[in-house]
Amino acid sequence: MKVLNALLLSRRPALAFVLVGLFWGCFAAYIPDLKIRLNVSDAIFGLLLLCNALGLLSSMWLAPKIDNILGNRGLQIGTALFAATLFLPGFASGAFTFGLSMAIVGAASGLVDVLMNARVSELEQVHKRPLMNGNHGMFSLGYAAAAVVSGFAREAHVEPGVAFLIVGSLILGLSSCLEMKIYKSPIAKPGSFSYLTGPILLRGLIVLVSFMTEATVETWSAIHIERTLMGRAAEGALGPAMLGITMALGRFFGQSISETFSETKVIICATCVAATGAVIAALAPTPVLAYIGFGTLGLGVSVIGPLGLALVGKYVPDHLRTEAISRVTVLGFAGFFLAPTMMGLISEVQGLRVAFLCAALFSLVSIPLILLLSGFSKG
């Protein structure tokens, strides 16, 4: 009931999370087809995905200004712009056009990411309760559903461009429901408050590590199942789908435990679970065991990013919240595109099994970061 009530309180940004998840779930399922069409190596494909980060980072820096200009219709307009760009990667026929299209999609996605997280953070302060995990759980639900459906679409030989166009049209239609009131406090006088960079940076690094770990599965799980474990297209799509399903469960459950246990304890336990899942996926001899690994990783990593973003909202005053979340989101969401690049480079040299083992090791970095933040706060 806590989860349902939280989603009711934040229903408009929750819908935005679902809509964004629909595209990225579809995209993850179609990655093997996109890579085959481009006919590039793992390393080059990983670098092309980095183009997404260039667009994403640029728009995230501009998001606070755009937010002030668009006002109550910001989330609605941002989501509609996002929908209008989604057909581009599916129809790209070469490496250059694919990279350019991913930069455009990244810019639109980055804007929506900042706006919807800022709206949830505002609602958390208004209602005095955590809402972030539930909303990120809705992203995971949309992501998982789209990945499963897209797997069957691939089996039916539906082209990526057609699939992305259908998803974009659905998102465009539903974006009309996203106008919402913005809760702002009076702007403080200059110099009356300035938040410390250190705690914000630590929160951002926690989100970065979490999203990088998540992105390894989103981008490379389908290829790992189809190429390393010789699975079919529908079996490959179940890799990102399993991630989305368990992340949704973890985030909905995390909505309750975040009201009971400290962020430090939750993040440490969740990190250990995520690292274990990455190891299982790396060493799996069959697709079924790989699904267990991806699901375990999703369950663990699910709560870390939302908790990091929620910590930012609690740390800064109302009039600086969008700016602070934008800065942390710039750092954190870069992980969605740095991780695929790193995985591609490692896979090119050592294979995807070693790449996923490296992802397991990297995920453990969240533990010293949260301990350092806890010590910083006490100090």
Side-chain angles (χ1 to χ4, degrees):
M1 292 301 295
K2 287 185 178 180
V3 174
L4 292 177
N5 182 251
L7 293 175
L8 181 63
L9 293 174
S10 56
R11 54 192 175 276
R12 286 186 175 83
L15 175 59
F17 275 93
V18 172
L19 297 181
V20 174
L22 287 177
F23 172 70
W24 290 116
C26 182
F27 181 82
Y30 269 97
I31 278 178
D33 286 358
L34 293 171
K35 186 176 181 299
I36 291 172
R37 171 184 288 184
L38 296 174
N39 192 28
V40 294
S41 66
D42 287 358
I44 296 299
F45 187 67
L47 290 173
L48 289 174
L49 292 175
L50 189 61
C51 293
N52 208 336
L54 300 178
L56 180 140
L57 296 179
S58 63
S59 70
M60 283 183 172
W61 282 118
L62 295 173
K65 293 182 179 179
I66 296 174
D67 191 28
N68 288 330
I69 294 171
L70 298 180
N72 293 351
R73 295 175 66 87
L75 187 58
Q76 180 185 42
I77 295 173
T79 305
L81 290 174
F82 174 62
T85 69
L86 301 186
F87 71 95
L88 294 173
F91 289 107
S93 57
F96 176 78
T97 54
F98 180 78
L100 179 61
S101 67
M102 291 306 295
I104 295 172
V105 171
S109 180
L111 174 61
V112 178
D113 282 326
V114 172
L115 296 183
M116 64 189 186
N117 278 290
R119 297 294 86 82
V120 174
S121 185
E122 289 167 7
L123 291 171
E124 284 187 322
Q125 305 312 308
V126 170
H127 297 290
K128 305 301 179 185
R129 58 170 301 182
L131 303 171
M132 197 68 77
N133 264 305
N135 278 264
H136 280 254
M138 294 304 289
F139 168 89
S140 299
L141 274 184
Y143 178 95
V148 171
V149 173
S150 298
F152 289 110
R154 286 182 62 206
E155 292 272 323
H157 305 292
V158 177
E159 292 294 318
V162 175
F164 296 170
L165 189 59
I166 293 172
V167 173
S169 299
L170 176 62
I171 294 173
L172 183 62
L174 291 174
S175 67
S176 60
C177 304
L178 295 179
E179 182 178 357
M180 66 175 291
K181 178 182 178 182
I182 296 178
Y183 296 91
K184 298 278 189 181
S185 65
I187 297 178
K189 295 180 179 180
S192 63
F193 180 90
S194 59
Y195 52 78
L196 296 175
T197 303
I200 289 292
L201 179 60
L202 286 174
R203 288 164 170 82
L205 289 174
I206 291 170
V207 177
L208 171 67
V209 173
S210 168
F211 287 169
M212 285 187 73
T213 305
E214 177 183 340
T216 61
V217 180
E218 289 189 356
T219 309
W220 291 98
S221 60
I223 294 178
H224 181 51
I225 290 171
E226 293 179 34
R227 190 174 68 190
T228 309
L229 303 178
M230 306 302 293
R232 295 176 12 251
E235 291 175 321
L238 282 178
M242 183 62 69
L243 174 78
I245 291 169
T246 56
M247 286 190 69
L249 292 174
R251 284 169 172 171
F252 291 145
F253 184 63
Q255 182 66 47
S256 298
I257 65 174
S258 62
E259 300 183 33
T260 306
F261 300 98
S262 71
E263 290 88 354
T264 300
K265 292 180 180 179
V266 174
I267 289 177
I268 289 175
C269 293
T271 297
C272 293
V273 173
T276 301
V279 172
I280 294 172
L283 302 179
T286 64
V288 172
L289 288 177
Y291 299 149
I292 294 174
F294 294 141
T296 302
L297 184 151
L299 193 63
V301 81
S302 61
V303 298
I304 302 175
L307 280 178
L309 290 170
L311 286 171
V312 175
K314 293 179 181 178
Y315 178 68
V316 298
D318 294 349
H319 68 281
L320 294 175
R321 186 172 298 112
T322 302
E323 174 189 330
I325 286 181
S326 175
R327 292 180 178 180
V328 170
T329 306
V330 166
L331 183 58
F333 276 79
F336 280 116
F337 312 108
L338 292 175
T341 303
M342 291 175 56
M343 289 286 287
L345 293 172
I346 296 171
S347 176
E348 185 75 15
V349 178
Q350 296 291 337
L352 279 172
R353 291 191 186 277
V354 174
F356 277 112
L357 287 175
C358 291
L361 289 174
F362 181 75
S363 68
L364 295 174
V365 174
S366 291
I367 294 177
L369 287 175
I370 189 62
L371 291 175
L372 184 58
L373 179 61
S374 179
F376 201 117
S377 301
K378 292 178 181 178

